[in-house]
Amino acid sequence: MKTIEDYNFNGRKALIRVDFNVPLNSELEITDDTRIRAAIPTISKILNDGGAVILMSHLGRPKEGPEHKFSLGHLVDHLSEVFNRQVKFANDCIGEEASTLSSELKSGEILLLENLRFYKEETKGDKAFAKELSQHGNIYINDAFGTAHRAHASTSIIAKFFTDKACGFVMKAELENAQKVLEQSEKPFTAIMGGAKISDKILIIEQLLGKVDNLIVGGGMSYTFFKAMGGSIGSSLCEDDKLDLAKDLIRKAKELNVNLMLPIDSVISDAFSNEANTQIAMNHAIPEGWMGLDIGPQAAQVFSDTVKESKTILWNGPMGVFEMSSFAAGTQSVAEAIVEATSNGAFSLIGGGDSAAAINTFGFGDKVSYVSTGGGALLEYMEGKTLPGVAALSQD
């Protein structure tokens, strides 16, 4: 697979699949431009080489064709500011207007196409739609790692129509950092899995059991393990159809000599609310009518000590409902331990989604080795699956 560094873009028109699926408020203003900033090095390299840039992306999940609130037109002013030039905008991603704008684009100029998902053909991976999109440029760059696990028209099918194709800097960094954890991890290697359901993480847990020294399990999924072991978990989250799976994972960890760490205690609450009554309970003895919403202080201490002694750390999923301040302490303590370990030379990869949101909420985004923007794509890559968006760049 070629990378953006393998090409000089002088006189070229680069069609770039970016991930500009940014959050907008009710005034349709960008509230977090992390994904836009992530794409700056890729876009700047092409402009500095003397090339022209055509950007395509999705935004939100429009149901039936164009919807004003999902228009990428809302991003034009911000993009013009970021790149210090007027970004042109096409009111469609295909058709005569878009085609004219891209064909007349000069070196140093940027054109943003309208939301790809205004066409159902995008998510269906339609070949004719992909071919029409491909007419906009003479070299294809995919820098949207967050959608690389989807075989959509703009992320994988389109590559067939280009001789010259490569990954951008975001995609390159995501793959390199994931590979570093999977193939070049320094021991001790600790994976921290959180979130609500075992079923969401089962494949990655099974992959990691053969690689890690310590597997820390927190968040809602931990209560399924405690129930499987015969504990009383009150009204805590539990997947009753996954109790045998939890027992199986405990057995596999033991066989592989992996230290599977479950939280000894929890912050429990009598309602799913920041203002509800709370207390600390041992996880095998949570009273009826109470639910665990964060790991407790003992668990936080034990987990943090293990993390601080690690040389490679993968974190995917929070320890509790960190969005509520009453249940954020466990997630924050783990985040602080990762920061300390990183400052002492450990390599830390923060999986996308809630973990990335948590690390940024606590202000630690620049104090860990790498924060993935990938979410589901990173999970699937770690599970050993082939990502269509990555595979497409490797094909002739």
Side-chain angles (χ1 to χ4, degrees):
M1 182 174 72
K2 290 192 170 176
T3 78
I4 189 169
E5 292 165 304
D6 293 320
Y7 290 98
N8 183 301
F9 291 85
N10 188 30
R12 305 292 297 269
K13 284 185 180 173
L15 178 60
I16 315 176
R17 177 50 159 105
V18 287
D19 182 3
F20 283 177
N21 186 25
V22 294
L24 304 175
N25 62 19
S26 57
E27 304 295 309
L28 302 175
E29 298 159 334
I30 300 166
T31 56
D32 180 357
D33 72 344
T34 304
R35 285 174 169 164
I36 289 173
R37 301 216 160 263
I40 291 174
T42 293
I43 296 166
S44 297
K45 146 84 173 150
I46 293 161
L47 296 173
N48 292 340
D49 277 3
V53 168
I54 299 100
L55 301 171
M56 55 179 177
S57 178
H58 73 285
L59 176 63
R61 293 184 174 177
K63 290 183 176 66
E64 293 294 330
E67 286 182 62
H68 178 67
K69 67 177 177 179
F70 294 128
S71 172
L72 283 166
H74 307 310
L75 277 57
V76 171
D77 288 348
H78 187 73
L79 287 169
S80 299
E81 207 175 290
V82 167
F83 291 101
N84 201 23
R85 69 199 72 202
Q86 183 56 49
V87 170
K88 297 173 188 260
F89 181 66
N91 289 305
D92 201 341
C93 57
I94 54 173
E96 197 176 330
E97 183 205 351
S99 180
T100 302
L101 283 166
S102 63
S103 65
E104 293 176 356
L105 205 64
K106 297 178 179 65
S107 293
E109 292 184 333
I110 302 172
L111 169 66
L112 174 65
L113 303 176
E114 184 54 287
N115 194 339
L116 296 162
R117 289 193 187 169
F118 284 170
Y119 287 88
K120 286 203 171 109
E121 287 85 349
E122 161 65 1
T123 51
K124 285 178 180 170
D126 184 84
K127 201 170 177 181
F129 179 67
K131 186 176 184 180
E132 202 166 346
L133 287 172
S134 74
Q135 311 295 317
H136 291 302
N138 50 31
I139 181 167
Y140 170 67
I141 305 294
N142 192 345
D143 213 23
F145 181 74
T147 56
H149 58 316
R150 308 285 188 214
H152 291 172
S154 69
T155 60
S156 69
I157 312 303
I158 193 171
K160 295 181 175 74
F161 302 103
F162 287 90
T163 306
D164 294 335
K165 51 198 167 191
C167 67
F169 288 118
V170 173
M171 179 85 84
K172 179 173 181 271
E174 290 277 0
L175 294 171
E176 284 175 352
N177 283 292
Q179 276 302 112
K180 192 168 180 178
V181 165
L182 288 174
E183 306 301 337
Q184 301 139 27
S185 54
E186 205 180 324
K187 301 282 189 178
F189 178 6
T190 298
I192 307 155
M193 292 285 128
K197 297 177 178 178
I198 297 183
S199 51
D200 291 341
K201 303 283 167 77
I202 175 60
L203 292 172
I204 189 169
I205 287 173
E206 287 181 335
Q207 280 284 328
L208 291 170
L209 279 176
K211 302 177 190 290
V212 300
D213 302 292
N214 307 299
L215 177 62
I216 292 173
V217 174
M221 71 162 88
S222 64
Y223 302 107
T224 301
F225 283 91
F226 282 104
K227 187 164 181 181
M229 294 186 291
S232 301
I233 60 166
S235 53
S236 303
L237 198 63
C238 181
E239 290 178 278
D240 287 321
D241 61 336
K242 296 292 183 288
L243 298 176
D244 288 339
L245 177 62
K247 287 178 193 168
D248 197 41
L249 289 172
I250 293 168
R251 181 186 54 77
K252 278 183 187 167
K254 197 171 272 185
E255 282 173 6
L256 293 165
N257 211 20
V258 171
N259 181 20
L260 175 61
M261 303 176 70
L262 294 162
I264 190 169
D265 58 345
S266 281
V267 178
I268 62 171
S269 174
D270 59 0
F272 190 80
S273 162
N274 204 34
E275 286 74 43
N277 297 309
T278 61
Q279 57 176 306
I280 307 298
M282 292 296 120
N283 271 343
H284 61 275
I286 297 174
E288 278 306 312
W290 291 74
M291 66 185 89
L293 294 179
D294 191 15
I295 58 170
Q298 288 186 61
Q301 185 65 57
V302 173
F303 288 0
S304 295
D305 289 346
T306 299
V307 168
K308 287 173 190 174
E309 289 165 8
S310 303
K311 286 291 176 201
T312 304
I313 301 157
L314 169 66
W315 184 23
N316 189 280
M319 298 294 98
V321 190
F322 75 94
E323 298 89 347
M324 296 186 200
S325 57
S326 298
F327 312 108
T331 301
Q332 179 152 2
S333 66
V334 167
E336 286 169 353
I338 295 171
V339 168
E340 187 175 321
T342 308
S343 70
N344 290 328
F347 177 79
S348 51
L349 172 60
I350 312 303
D354 287 342
S355 307
I359 209 91
N360 290 325
T361 298
F362 301 135
F364 299 150
D366 58 347
K367 296 186 173 81
V368 295
S369 305
Y370 191 72
V371 180
S372 172
T373 58
L378 180 73
L379 270 182
E380 292 201 15
Y381 189 72
M382 292 259 175
E383 288 165 5
K385 292 178 183 169
T386 299
L387 304 186
V390 175
L393 295 176
S394 309
Q395 291 162 4
D396 296 329

